[in-house]
Amino acid sequence: MTEPLPSIAQALTQGYQQLTMSDSAKLDARVLLSFALGQSLTYLLTWPQRRLNAEQFDCYAQLLARRVQGEPVAYLVGEREFWSLPFKVSASTLIPRPDTEVLVEHALTHLSDNASLLDLGTGTGAIAIAIAHERPSVNVSAVDIREDALQLAKHNAELNQVNVNFRLSSWFNELAGEKFDVIVSNPPYIDAEDPHLQQGDVRFEPSSALIAEQHGLADIIEIIKNAPQYLHAQGWLLIEHGYQQGDALARLLHEAGFSQIATHCDYGGQPRVTQGQYRSHDHD
């Protein structure tokens, strides 16, 4: 006689027990089971005794097996929340992280009504879309070098019902003659030798969105060097970076003519976002 398939409560317990490698095993199991069932997290709590059917059980088992191998939950279910908004994700983009919300928070403090903002290397569109959602009057533009990332970002803008002007560009290359009040970026900033690249979710994320030459500073250097010609007078540049890079960014911003330089910590207390205001000596 074949064993009956597990109830929702039993399936969750089995999931926790398998996901010993995850520091969020209970949440992972809940998210994967709700995805396999096509139901909300609330449904799992409401109907703990409901039994899975064979198709649901097989789907859940496969998801657990992939998660055990380290594959990120966001890639498994194709979605991640950021700034309390839903974002579709794919293996061609970085997974939006809570710490990047610090970049959004500080960018918003520099945006008046009808201001213009540029997001460099937008990926899923998370930063640009969060800002457009918060400030509908701001003219938000976003660029990425990858067409597949832009298509995903456009889909996310539609999903969240905001207007963002997405364009294909390697940093500023296709933006000649344009100026913005605020420029933001979460560029690649990890050193190729960093041991963290062999750990956790980043093993599955696109290396082109993570790794930069010159000990992780190459793209940051290019952005800071070129940003002044794309900023209005007194415009702001805000860049997310590694926790050990704050001093280097502050120095680079100072050398490039920025003032009001400050570094802000993420929710774990690590230096994560550095900003500066451009001291333009000429008029727009």
Side-chain angles (χ1 to χ4, degrees):
M1 186 175 167
T2 57
E3 262 190 58
L5 290 168
S7 66
I8 285 172
Q10 289 168 336
L12 286 174
T13 301
Q14 290 172 13
Y16 309 153
Q17 291 169 349
Q18 286 185 50
L19 298 176
T20 52
M21 37 52 73
S22 172
D23 56 8
S24 55
K26 290 197 172 183
L27 178 61
D28 291 359
R30 286 190 202 121
V31 171
L32 295 178
L33 184 55
S34 68
F35 181 75
L37 298 178
Q39 299 287 355
S40 67
L41 293 174
T42 310
Y43 179 92
L44 304 184
L45 300 172
T46 310
W47 306 105
Q49 301 314 315
R50 290 234 169 132
R51 291 199 177 274
L52 280 62
N53 64 35
E55 187 180 347
Q56 291 167 339
F57 181 71
D58 287 347
C59 177
Y60 181 54
Q62 287 172 28
L63 290 169
L64 285 174
R66 289 168 65 186
R67 181 64 186 133
V68 166
Q69 295 303 313
E71 205 166 332
V73 171
Y75 287 163
L76 293 173
V77 302
E79 191 167 300
R80 169 62 65 89
E81 187 179 277
F82 178 83
W83 201 259
S84 301
L85 301 170
F87 284 87
K88 296 295 182 188
V89 300
S90 77
S92 68
T93 60
L94 282 188
I95 299 165
R97 286 169 169 75
D99 288 334
T100 301
E101 292 185 2
V102 174
L103 180 60
V104 173
E105 282 175 19
H106 289 283
L108 288 169
T109 66
H110 302 304
L111 289 166
S112 56
D113 285 346
N114 302 311
S116 56
L117 175 134
L118 171 66
D119 176 23
L120 292 167
T122 196
T124 59
I127 296 167
I129 290 166
I131 289 168
H133 186 269
E134 206 68 26
R135 296 282 174 81
S137 73
V138 171
N139 297 301
V140 179
S141 295
V143 300
D144 203 284
I145 196 172
R146 295 156 301 163
E147 183 63 46
D148 52 353
L150 283 179
Q151 291 307 316
L152 184 66
K154 287 174 184 175
H155 175 79
N156 282 327
E158 290 170 12
L159 181 67
N160 288 292
Q161 300 179 309
V162 299
N163 290 317
V164 176
N165 177 20
F166 291 105
R167 285 181 281 173
L168 194 66
S169 180
S170 175
W171 304 134
F172 298 104
N173 286 1
E174 306 301 321
L175 303 175
E178 298 185 48
K179 294 205 175 202
F180 303 88
D181 297 303
V182 176
I183 296 173
V184 296
S185 186
N186 177 16
Y189 57 72
I190 300 177
D191 185 343
E193 303 302 315
D194 192 317
H196 293 100
L197 290 169
Q198 309 307 319
Q199 301 165 16
D201 289 0
V202 296
R203 291 174 297 159
F204 293 84
E205 294 182 273
S207 60
S208 62
L210 293 164
I211 298 169
E213 300 294 323
Q214 293 174 258
H215 304 293
L217 288 171
D219 291 305
I220 288 170
I221 289 167
E222 182 175 346
I223 290 167
I224 292 174
K225 182 182 75 176
N226 291 303
Q229 61 187 297
Y230 297 94
L231 280 169
H232 287 303
Q234 312 308 313
W236 289 87
L237 174 64
L238 297 91
I239 297 177
E240 180 173 334
H241 53 77
Y243 71 96
Q244 295 173 313
Q245 296 172 328
D247 290 345
L249 263 86
R251 187 184 70 252
L252 289 163
L253 285 166
H254 178 75
E255 290 169 356
F258 286 84
S259 60
Q260 307 293 322
I261 297 164
T263 297
H264 306 288
C265 290
D266 61 25
Y267 303 128
Q270 300 285 3
R272 187 62 62 194
V273 173
T274 297
Q275 65 178 33
Q277 186 177 33
Y278 187 58
R279 300 190 303 256
S280 176
H281 298 298
D282 49 38
H283 298 288
D284 287 339

